């Protein structure tokens, strides 16, 4: 099977699992399920859950990784809803559609975000078929990656950096937390649940750290070079918000070079797994070349 | 030991444990720890964690319940931060102090709330000394109680009810979710971790359901009868926000009667445990008589 077909199949499996885990109850509070569903099924690229499943597959059992893969996608989705709020980045458009608070109002968007973070833990705990000890370990990795020493920490650095001159070290710290943590989590959890050794888990973490930085550099390049139509959200928003990005700090040429280097470093981490890691290598190149 | 001394001692144990679990890192994102700490240590009554510890004590091991008790208090705290936001209830004062967003700004208050919800799971997973299977079961109860079929569901009913005529059934559904779920969770988790039987856990759930409704009726009465000085937040806010409460629906006299009845029903649930449940009975009466 070629890469794109396999990628598509994995995305479908993730979407089907998300549908299965996301139960929409018909009750008093059903309006929140609409708000959650809107963002959870609004055309996300599903990079993180696919990464999780692919890393599990590299070492063995991919099926057991699915509840964790979907939990991580729920966390990613909640972070986007809260990031888009008027008091945060104040974005009206995401994935070509109005953002959550534009449709459902700010109060419901806050609650829908809270509910998706909560649902992530419910999903992992309720649907895991791994042993209790493994389940605990996986959920612990996810919780730490999503918290103040992970993704939320990155959002805080981002918030505090707006309108300020940001140096290279701070920029890297911001992205290793904000984007990297939620790429490392699925890679580590995938390796863990798939049955990888401690060394495998560390390798996958290293792979995803490189991939996460590359992903962010590409995002910064696209914010300058893409169009609102292709990207599904306003381009030039970094400039508008006076954000320091890889492009503002290093220039376009150097950013492209860094994107290439980080992607190659990610791929080099997979060398020892040979052809078994073909999908992950292709995924890294796909993310390098993407146009949105 | 008399009730108040024992209550005080349990509150101190909870506060010490919260301090221990809440690690404030000196790094890029340290400002969020300030925002989280501000609300987590702003004079909360610690009813929920004390309830959890006391229910565990009724059946045996109270110490192992502490990580879960503190996790529930973190969830309670995050819900207050988000509830107070301008787009939600827009409250400036809580526990006699400016609310989180007044001090730290709206963006940081959103993130501090997110971070406390996340930290609740980190805390329970990282510090639990119970077996993996028991830990999973306890965290599952907490996650379900905090989610769309629990506390968040209640917030949604509340949000959707503002400015509308609310009937008795909807009002009860709102409070059994919004307040009740996060009273039932500590009672159930306490009984579970303390070593109670399945029947004990169900009993404690029933006890806490009555207690939760009584707690909310008392809150509604205090919103009319207390003063801003004693309550630490503006009185009359329900009327201002056109909220249906037990007092607006049933009148003051009937509300007092219901408060008494629900408290007595809660206490009756404890009968079979005799003197061992003395603290929980006294706690129920304390909550009935509280002035804030």
């Amino acid at each position: 099977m070629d890469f794109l077909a396999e990628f598509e199949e994995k995305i479908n499996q993730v979407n089907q699992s998300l549908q299965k885990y996301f139960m929409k109850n018909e009750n008093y509070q059903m309006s929140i399920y609409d708000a959650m569903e809107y963002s959870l099924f609004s055309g996300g690229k599903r990079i993180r859950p696919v990464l999780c499943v692919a890393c599990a597959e590299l070492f063995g059992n991919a099926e057991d990784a699915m509840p964790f893969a979907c939990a991580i996608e729920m966390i990613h989705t909640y972070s986007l809803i809260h990031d888009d709020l008027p008091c945060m980045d104040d974005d009206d458009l995401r994935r070509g559609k109005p953002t959550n608070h534009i449709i459902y109002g700010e109060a419901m968007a806050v609650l829908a975000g809270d509910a998706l973070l909560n649902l992530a833990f419910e999903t992992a705990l309720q649907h895991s078929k791994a042993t209790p000890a493994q389940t605990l370990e996986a959920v612990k990795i996810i919780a730490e990656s999503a918290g103040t020493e992970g993704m939320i920490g990155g959002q805080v650095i981002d918030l505090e950096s707006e309108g300020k001159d940001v140096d290279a070290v701070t920029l890297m710290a911001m992205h290793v937390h904000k984007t990297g943590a939620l790429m490392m989590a699925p890679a580590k959890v995938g390796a863990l649940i798939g049955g990888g050794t401690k060394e495998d888990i560390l390798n996958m973490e290293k792979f995803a750290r490189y991939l996460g930085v590359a992903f962010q550099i590409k995002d910064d390049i696209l914010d300058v070079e893409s169009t609102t139509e292709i990207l599904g959200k306003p381009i030039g928003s970094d400039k508008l918000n006076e954000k320091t990005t890889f492009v503002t700090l290093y220039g376009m040429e150097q950013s492209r070079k860094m994107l290439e280097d980080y992607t190659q470093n990610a791929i080099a981490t997979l060398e020892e797994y040979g052809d078994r890691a073909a999908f992950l290598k292709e995924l890294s190149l796909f993310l390098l070349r993407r146009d949105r």
Side-chain angles (χ1 to χ4, degrees), chain A:
Chain A
M1 191 161 21
D2 75 352
F3 167 73
L4 280 180
E6 193 177 343
F7 192 23
E8 196 71 30
E9 190 182 294
K10 284 190 165 53
I11 290 174
N12 286 340
Q13 285 165 355
V14 166
N15 283 331
Q16 279 165 24
S17 300
L18 280 171
Q19 290 281 6
K20 194 177 77 184
Y21 301 148
F22 182 76
M23 300 228 290
K24 219 177 140 169
N25 286 353
E26 300 280 334
N27 56 18
Y28 284 108
Q29 61 269 30
M30 60 175 293
S31 52
I32 196 166
Y33 293 106
D34 294 338
M36 293 160 77
E37 188 177 40
Y38 176 78
S39 291
L40 194 55
F41 299 98
S42 69
K45 296 185 285 280
R46 311 298 192 208
I47 308 290
R48 290 157 193 81
V50 166
L51 185 60
C52 187
V53 171
C55 286
E57 226 166 43
L58 181 56
F59 301 105
N61 185 346
E63 207 183 304
D64 285 359
M66 197 54 96
F68 305 102
C70 289
I72 290 164
E73 184 69 4
M74 289 171 188
I75 292 175
H76 174 58
T77 305
Y78 112 77
S79 78
L80 299 181
I81 296 175
H82 281 188
D83 252 357
D84 288 338
L85 285 170
C87 68
M88 305 278 283
D89 285 351
D90 194 14
D91 282 320
D92 294 351
L93 202 64
R94 157 114 29 213
R95 296 164 181 167
K97 293 178 186 167
T99 45
N100 198 288
H101 64 272
I102 297 290
I103 304 278
Y104 297 97
E106 276 183 66
M108 191 61 90
V110 169
L111 289 176
D114 294 345
L116 279 166
L117 172 55
N118 202 90
L119 185 63
F121 291 106
E122 289 181 76
T123 299
L125 295 165
Q126 197 180 327
H127 296 282
S128 171
K129 289 190 180 68
T131 64
Q134 271 204 325
T135 302
L136 271 192
E137 188 57 28
V139 180
K140 209 188 284 188
I141 290 171
I142 294 172
E144 284 169 7
S145 306
T148 45
E149 294 301 309
M151 184 188 72
I152 293 177
Q155 290 172 299
V156 173
I157 304 175
D158 193 7
L159 187 67
E160 306 251 281
S161 299
E162 260 181 58
K164 284 187 201 156
D165 276 333
V166 172
D167 61 27
V169 178
T170 308
L171 184 74
M172 194 55 88
M174 171 161 80
H175 291 310
V176 165
H177 286 84
K178 190 176 172 177
T179 312
L182 225 55
M183 300 283 264
M184 288 187 266
K188 283 166 74 179
V189 168
L192 172 76
I193 298 292
T197 63
K198 277 189 184 171
E199 208 198 317
D200 291 327
I201 296 170
L202 283 174
N203 269 340
M204 287 301 108
E205 180 178 17
K206 196 173 157 193
F207 160 69
R209 188 184 288 116
Y210 284 126
L211 197 68
V213 174
F215 190 86
Q216 187 58 50
I217 298 173
K218 182 73 186 191
D219 258 10
D220 289 354
I221 292 174
L222 287 173
D223 189 67
V224 176
E225 295 204 328
S226 186
T227 66
T228 299
E229 202 176 14
I230 294 174
L231 214 54
K233 60 183 178 184
I235 63 152
S237 65
D238 292 336
K239 199 176 175 187
L240 200 71
N241 294 325
E242 295 180 26
K243 286 198 178 182
T244 304
T245 72
F246 284 100
V247 178
T248 64
L249 200 64
Y250 296 101
M252 186 57 86
E253 197 183 341
Q254 180 66 12
S255 295
R256 274 192 226 284
K257 174 86 175 54
M258 287 170 73
L259 169 59
E260 189 75 40
D261 287 350
Y262 274 93
T263 305
Q264 287 309 330
N265 282 337
I267 290 171
T269 317
L270 302 169
E271 258 342 296
E272 63 180 283
Y273 304 109
D275 282 351
R276 285 162 53 216
F279 178 82
L280 288 172
K281 288 180 196 168
E282 292 280 359
L283 181 65
S284 309
L285 292 171
F286 173 85
L287 292 177
L288 166 76
R289 294 173 192 142
R290 70 196 163 99
D291 64 356
R292 65 188 180 96

